Amino acid sequence: MATRGRPPASAGRDGTSRAAAARAGAVAAEAAPARLEVRKTYKLYIGGAFPRTESGRSYVISSADGAPLANACRASRKDLREAVRAARKAFPGWAAKTAMNRGQVLYRVAELMEGRREQFATEVSQAEGLAPAAARDAVGRAIDRWVWYAGWADKIGQVLGSSNPVAAPYFNFTIPEPTGVVGVVAPETSSLLGLISRLAPPLVTGNTVVVLASERRPLPAVTLAEVLATSDVPGGVVNILTGRRSELVPVLAGHADVDALDTWGVPDNLRVATEELAAEDIKRLLRRPTKTVEARFDWLDDAAAERPEWIAAFLEMKTVWHPIGA
Amino acid sequence: MAAMATQTDSRLVPASGHAPSSWGLGDGQAIPWEYAPAPEARDLVTLKDRYGLFVNGRFVPASDGGTFATVDPATEEQLAVVARATTADVDRAVRAARRAQSRSWGRLSGKERAKYLFRIARILQERSREFAVLESMDSGKPIKESRDVDVPLAAAHFWYYAGWADKLEYAFPGRVARPLGVAAQIIPWNFPLLMLSWKIAPALAAGNTVVLKPASTTPLSALLFAEVCQEADLPPGVVNIVTGPGEIGMAMVTHPGIDKVAFTGSTEIGKRIAQGVAGTDKALTLELGGKAANIVFDDAPLDQAVEGIVNGIYFNQGEVCCAGSRLLAQESIVEPLIDKLKDRLATIRVGDPLDKNTDVGAINSKAQLDKITELVASGVAEGAELYQPACDLPDRGFFFRPTLFTNVAQSHRIAREEIFGPVLSVLTFRTPDEAVEKANNTVYGLSAGIWTDKGSRILEMVGRMRAGVVWANTFNRFDPTSPFGGYKESGFGREGGLHGLLAYVRLEDR
């Protein structure tokens, strides 16, 4: 593997300050460390497995201050199609789970995230340039938000469903069902909290998801994939790709087996083209309001970022007529 | 002479005068009695020579004076001349709607809005026969359907949503419902007044104002509705009706003064409309095409199922987006089911839409008739077996025989494409899994029907249908309280019920 001038192994991986990292670097230059760190290869997450991109391409991920952190996979359109296939395959099983079971499975993801808080905080701090305390706050909020959404699994049907008093002898009721395969273009700026705020709403009702992680800050998303892989969320339910937005968003928007799209993280210059492509097969869209600047949205604001409407955006309402009497 | 009763058992008196084979008279044998005409009086309707656009509470000509004609599809005679709106007219209508939203309608209390909507519902009931006759004249649908289905349901929609106008705070828990603003609404020609009511009633209840475009072949009931708005003293600009071709609809969709677009029509146009709002904040709901499966299991009550199948595909000449156009019959009962169906088809009366005994009226337009004819020809060419009852069609007008195809394969165009005509394609299945597979094997997902005596099987099939409305042991039922809309390429958003109200509000934090 080509070396890309990575920072010394100890720097920035344990939440140490930049000064400490520089000191460690100085030491490393003088003498071999007592133990050579095993670096992590950041891969894609498709169908419950961690393949490299079939294209063999990568791109350098840098921290907020410009220091190289790692090589991330630059997923290809073929990787994306594989991810959609995996999501489609996983959909019937995930949708068929009981609501309570789905809620418990998702809650367990929060349990596992809690165990990795420090790792997430370090990665978020590096990715977003947040002070350690702020990064820890964002991670804690992300875990709590996951719990908030997980709890909706067995409630949303009662809140959004209805029985309808029709003027004829029929029992008439309306129930929500998951739409299917949902493409999520995750926020570019908020690497973990933003991602979780977009991923949880479609997931909790039984949709399966293909996520395009933040392009410049994808590493927390890959770590989230590791959490999901060791949770009880079945493989294929969540698929996470890293790579170039300009390359992948049009493929996702134009894919005929993707039923719905969360376009929150779509860059403004791709917005019209993305929505036009999505119209070709009547995809459901959850769009970021044009006035909302992606980078300035306050994901820490629970009132703004915890919305049952975002769950409802990926539900279909099914109305059933059943005769009463003869 | 046969009795002139308005209630005639449709099994006894075939319009065609040809007996079903089960009557034992021999195929195509004339029935030994006559069937007397029962025409509905037309004099309740006073047609004007010219109709203007309804903008800001007044009828006005198009800005360039342009017009187009609307014809009676049963006679091909011109009914009236209607203004052809220009983009300048669209702009005027949108401005009028905006003014009304910000100055009058949007400021009214919910209670006051409710009373206007109740008024409209009452006037529709009071003038119901007039609307029914006009609707049948302009669209070609049988008077018994416009009288018993379209108009009463339209009034019921206004009635239902009227009551929501002052109860919005109870509609969406934890949220404040605010109007979106100005809605552009484009409706089709198959249920002109009913689709108008599905669009306008929830929009107005939530505090929006509207610019509505009826289909160019059926503008008259919308323009009569404009008179109702005047009669109800609705503030000017709350409802605006513009008439014209599809380009005018697209001008409404892309107008920057629009906050919400609601469209009912073909999937093809729906895609163009979705592209028209790309990159904006305009809210969008689409109610598009369908290719519904009507699934009959071997334990279904067959006579009841036959009535449901007939209602599913021949109601409104099959010009229904949720029509049960694919019959999926379990193999063990295909033969008796088809025999019964053919017998029933022989008794269907095709003819004058204004005759109270007509079951299947006129196809809405020459263009639609051509499309049906072309698709039926493709069915024959692709090897399906055609059956049409021997029935005489009127000399003039756009009529098509009730049509049944057997030996249909999934790959046939008549099994995949929306025909929007009285054409049923029969497919078969052996197991419930195969029925599910075939039913869902379509880009559409608007509706489905399930016929079986077993309740638990109904509920299982309900869960496996990828369709927005599922009718069990019935078909083509509608109600203002009952949400209606599609999965997949049949569109998104719901009309009717609380879910229909959601399509016209913006939810904010309390």
Side-chain angles (χ1 to χ4, degrees):
Chain A
M1 180 175 158
T3 51
R4 288 189 191 257
R6 292 205 206 192
S10 59
R13 303 238 163 185
D14 53 5
T16 50
S17 70
R18 262 178 263 154
R23 275 197 305 280
V27 172
E30 288 161 15
R35 177 182 172 275
L36 188 66
E37 185 203 39
V38 178
R39 288 179 179 168
K40 179 155 119 189
T41 306
Y42 288 86
K43 298 202 282 188
L44 307 176
Y45 183 52
I46 299 174
F50 289 92
R52 286 196 184 81
T53 167
E54 60 82 30
S55 68
R57 304 174 303 174
S58 64
Y59 66 118
V60 181
I61 304 303
S62 303
S63 67
D65 60 7
L69 293 172
N71 297 317
C73 284
R74 190 177 148 197
S76 66
R77 66 172 60 203
K78 186 163 186 300
D79 294 320
L80 194 148
R81 289 198 286 254
E82 287 301 319
V84 173
R85 271 167 56 103
R88 175 60 62 192
K89 198 174 163 199
F91 174 62
W94 183 239
K97 285 192 181 302
T98 65
M100 186 190 186
N101 181 240
R102 212 164 34 239
Q104 289 194 354
V105 166
L106 293 179
Y107 179 83
R108 174 144 176 82
V109 173
E111 292 178 349
L112 300 184
M113 286 179 73
E114 190 77 35
R116 294 221 200 189
R117 271 188 72 176
E118 287 307 315
Q119 182 188 1
F120 275 120
T122 303
E123 287 185 343
V124 166
S125 168
Q126 289 172 341
E128 302 179 22
L130 295 177
R136 276 197 294 276
D137 187 30
V139 172
R141 199 68 67 100
I143 298 169
D144 292 353
R145 185 152 300 153
W146 193 274
V147 170
W148 189 82
Y149 275 110
W152 272 110
D154 50 6
K155 292 156 199 75
I156 197 80
Q158 287 178 313
V159 172
L160 297 183
S162 61
S163 73
N164 313 308
V166 295
Y170 293 91
F171 176 45
N172 190 273
F173 60 97
T174 301
I175 45 171
E177 291 186 342
T179 295
V181 175
V182 177
V184 171
V185 184
E188 178 61 30
T189 313
S190 181
S191 59
L192 182 71
L193 180 56
L195 164 67
I196 272 178
S197 303
R198 309 313 302 177
L199 172 60
L203 203 55
V204 67
T205 56
N207 294 288
T208 55
V209 181
V210 174
V211 179
L212 302 187
S214 167
E215 179 171 323
R216 285 171 291 119
R217 302 162 174 182
L219 302 189
V222 180
T223 301
L224 179 68
E226 292 163 8
V227 167
L228 292 165
T230 52
S231 75
D232 296 325
V233 175
V237 169
V238 180
N239 305 275
I240 299 179
L241 304 178
T242 55
R244 301 284 187 221
R245 292 275 162 102
S246 57
E247 184 182 358
L248 296 174
V249 168
V251 184
L252 188 64
H255 198 301
D257 211 22
V258 174
D259 299 306
L261 205 56
D262 180 344
T263 64
W264 191 279
V266 171
D268 286 340
N269 63 338
L270 289 180
R271 191 182 182 104
V272 173
T274 301
E275 292 181 20
E276 283 179 350
L277 275 169
E280 286 296 343
D281 61 348
I282 313 290
K283 280 187 180 63
R284 289 83 175 102
L285 292 181
L286 179 50
R287 307 185 291 179
R288 171 167 46 88
T290 53
K291 282 191 218 110
T292 303
V293 179
E294 203 273 328
R296 288 197 212 127
F297 189 83
D298 183 8
W299 293 105
L300 292 168
D301 178 358
D302 285 346
E306 293 180 350
R307 308 185 76 91
E309 295 94 277
W310 291 346
I311 304 176
F314 304 109
L315 290 173
E316 308 291 318
M317 293 295 160
K318 179 181 277 176
T319 295
V320 182
W321 292 71
H322 192 294
I324 295 171
Chain B
M1 187 170 149
M4 291 287 288
T6 53
Q7 298 284 324
T8 313
D9 186 333
S10 60
R11 288 154 196 249
L12 298 181
V13 196
S16 60
H18 296 276
S21 56
S22 63
W23 291 14
L25 299 176
D27 264 351
Q29 190 70 39
I31 293 174
W33 61 75
E34 298 258 317
Y35 157 61
E40 175 62 65
R42 291 175 177 240
D43 57 5
L44 270 170
V45 171
T46 311
L47 283 173
K48 297 176 192 162
D49 292 339
R50 281 174 177 272
Y51 286 85
L53 313 168
F54 186 63
V55 176
N56 207 26
R58 295 190 315 126
F59 287 96
V60 294
S63 62
D64 65 356
T67 60
F68 65 100
T70 182
V71 302
D72 179 343
T75 62
E76 302 177 52
E77 283 167 8
Q78 180 175 312
L79 288 172
V81 165
V82 179
R84 178 193 294 266
T86 63
T87 51
D89 293 320
V90 168
D91 189 55
R92 275 194 299 166
V94 172
R95 283 167 196 277
R98 173 66 60 193
R99 259 196 318 276
Q101 210 282 325
S102 56
R103 292 184 194 169
S104 62
W105 196 247
R107 292 186 178 188
L108 275 184
S109 71
K111 275 200 164 67
E112 295 302 299
R113 287 202 309 273
K115 286 190 287 181
Y116 278 112
L117 293 173
F118 280 123
R119 259 193 196 180
I120 290 172
R122 281 299 196 216
I123 296 170
L124 286 176
Q125 290 173 327
E126 286 159 8
R127 298 175 70 171
S128 62
R129 193 57 60 91
E130 180 186 1
F131 269 102
V133 173
L134 180 67
E135 194 77 318
S136 282
M137 289 167 71
D138 204 17
S139 74
K141 66 171 60 210
I143 184 71
K144 74 172 182 188
E145 291 177 8
S146 51
R147 181 196 63 203
D148 297 347
V149 180
D150 295 62
V151 177
L153 267 180
H157 261 83
F158 278 97
W159 187 268
Y160 173 74
Y161 281 110
W164 270 124
D166 54 359
K167 298 168 195 67
L168 293 177
E169 62 266 42
Y170 300 100
F172 308 105
R175 289 280 184 265
V176 180
R178 306 240 181 256
L180 292 165
V182 178
Q185 305 179 316
I186 301 165
I187 57 171
W189 43 258
N190 57 344
F191 295 93
L193 181 71
L194 184 58
M195 291 300 105
L196 173 148
S197 72
W198 285 24
K199 296 279 180 289
I200 293 183
L204 263 51
N208 304 279
T209 56
V210 307
V211 178
L212 177 134
K213 188 186 94 64
S216 54
T217 59
T218 54
L220 296 183
S221 57
L223 294 167
L224 186 59
F225 178 81
E227 288 180 21
V228 171
C229 293
Q230 289 180 323
E231 190 181 336
D233 293 326
L234 195 69
V238 174
V239 169
N240 304 275
I241 312 277
V242 295
T243 47
E247 302 94 86
I248 288 307
M250 202 46 87
M252 290 160 58
V253 168
T254 55
H255 194 289
I258 290 293
D259 303 298
K260 153 87 189 181
V261 175
F263 171 74
T264 297
S266 73
T267 293
E268 182 195 350
I269 303 296
K271 292 176 181 179
R272 301 226 312 262
I273 285 175
Q275 286 167 343
V277 305
T280 70
D281 287 322
K282 290 173 188 172
L284 177 66
T285 44
L286 298 171
E287 206 270 87
L288 308 176
K291 192 75 191 175
N294 207 354
I295 305 170
V296 182
F297 284 96
D298 57 7
D299 65 342
L302 287 195
D303 290 325
Q304 204 183 321
V306 165
E307 290 308 305
I309 293 162
V310 166
N311 182 44
I313 186 61
Y314 303 117
F315 173 65
N316 202 40
Q317 299 73 245
E319 298 165 326
V320 185
C321 48
C322 54
S325 52
R326 289 182 299 153
L327 173 62
L328 295 185
Q330 196 152 19
E331 276 190 9
S332 52
I333 47 125
V334 171
E335 282 178 23
L337 185 66
I338 299 300
D339 286 348
K340 282 174 185 285
L341 203 50
K342 285 179 176 173
D343 274 4
R344 180 65 178 83
L345 251 58
T347 67
I348 285 179
R349 289 171 300 246
V350 183
D352 180 6
L354 285 181
D355 190 306
K356 290 171 211 164
N357 292 321
T358 291
D359 297 308
V360 172
I363 301 299
N364 183 256
S365 66
K366 177 73 165 53
Q368 185 56 25
L369 182 61
D370 289 345
K371 186 188 164 196
I372 297 168
T373 308
E374 195 265 325
L375 271 160
V376 166
S378 85
V380 174
E382 290 187 315
E385 198 176 307
L386 173 85
Y387 174 82
Q388 290 174 326
C391 72
D392 307 318
L393 298 184
D395 303 333
R396 297 179 303 164
F398 314 131
F399 290 92
F400 200 86
R401 285 189 179 82
T403 300
L404 177 73
F405 274 110
T406 49
N407 281 338
V408 179
Q410 287 270 80
S411 57
H412 289 167
R413 286 182 65 199
I414 54 169
R416 290 185 291 119
E417 296 179 29
E418 182 175 46
I419 299 173
F420 228 63
V423 182
L424 179 65
S425 301
V426 184
L427 298 104
T428 63
F429 68 93
R430 288 185 182 177
T431 63
D433 285 347
E434 190 186 352
V436 170
E437 182 66 34
K438 283 183 167 165
N440 288 338
N441 186 2
T442 166
V443 296
Y444 298 112
L446 190 50
S447 62
I450 298 160
W451 297 84
T452 169
D453 245 4
K454 202 170 172 187
S456 58
R457 178 184 272 162
I458 287 174
L459 291 177
E460 199 220 339
M461 292 297 289
V462 159
R464 297 175 75 184
M465 291 294 106
R466 298 296 287 167
V469 184
V470 184
W471 287 290
N473 293 328
T474 186
F475 212 93
N476 273 344
R477 300 274 162 193
F478 310 95
D479 191 278
T481 69
S482 181
F484 180 95
Y487 282 40
K488 301 197 278 186
E489 292 194 18
S490 289
F492 47 73
R494 292 293 175 267
E495 293 180 298
L498 186 53
H499 302 79
L501 193 62
L502 180 63
Y504 286 95
V505 298
R506 190 177 66 244
L507 299 181
E508 295 180 352
D509 295 329
R510 271 196 206 285

